[in-house]
Amino acid sequence: QLQLVESGGGLVQPGGSLTLSCAASEFSLAYYAIAWFRQAPGKEREFVAAINRNGFSFYADFAKRRFIIDRDNAKNTGYLQMNSLRPEDTAVYYCAVISPFVSRQATDYADWGQGTQVTVSS
């Protein structure tokens, strides 16, 4: 199992912004696509965004225009910048990696971080 550690979650007001980080250990992130998923209580884990090894990114509909996924291979870290946050964005956010090709399906991923809580509330 590849080790991934998310950070950056917390409490933010509606309309605010938050940036999550996903740091890889003991392996080179450059060879993997990176994806973010989220899971709210009582809900299935859902796809948020992904970025492939070449830097091409794509998003779930709810994340388009609000979220930005990025990576810094020199720092062995992936990022998810979230803007214009809404209460319905409240969830545990997970990063995951896969190679050689990216997927939108959580069941395709075997390597996950521990998750970081994002709460959007006034």
Side-chain angles (χ1 to χ4, degrees):
Q1 187 176 23
L2 304 179
Q3 186 175 5
L4 298 165
V5 179
E6 299 100 333
S7 61
L11 176 64
V12 64
Q13 293 185 340
S17 298
L18 209 59
T19 298
L20 308 181
S21 298
C22 176
S25 299
E26 300 286 300
F27 73 101
S28 178
L29 200 56
Y31 303 123
Y32 292 83
I34 307 167
W36 289 90
F37 294 80
R38 70 185 188 184
Q39 188 166 25
K43 302 292 185 179
E44 294 183 355
R45 191 166 297 189
E46 65 177 343
F47 174 79
V48 177
I51 184 167
N52 71 8
R53 293 178 296 175
N54 296 321
F56 184 85
S57 59
F58 53 98
Y59 301 86
D61 286 343
F62 66 80
K64 293 178 180 177
R65 303 183 191 180
R66 295 196 298 130
F67 295 2
I68 301 172
I69 188 168
D70 201 4
R71 65 191 301 157
D72 187 339
N73 289 340
K75 295 182 178 180
N76 222 28
T77 302
Y79 302 94
L80 181 68
Q81 181 180 336
M82 302 185 291
N83 304 304
S84 301
L85 285 163
R86 306 162 181 165
E88 53 263 41
D89 294 318
T90 296
V92 177
Y93 284 71
Y94 300 88
C95 68
V97 298
I98 193 170
S99 68
F101 302 112
V102 70
S103 172
R104 290 180 171 89
Q105 300 181 22
T107 53
D108 287 339
Y109 291 80
D111 299 289
W112 296 82
Q114 82 289 346
T116 185
Q117 176 71 48
V118 173
T119 302
V120 185
S121 176
S122 60

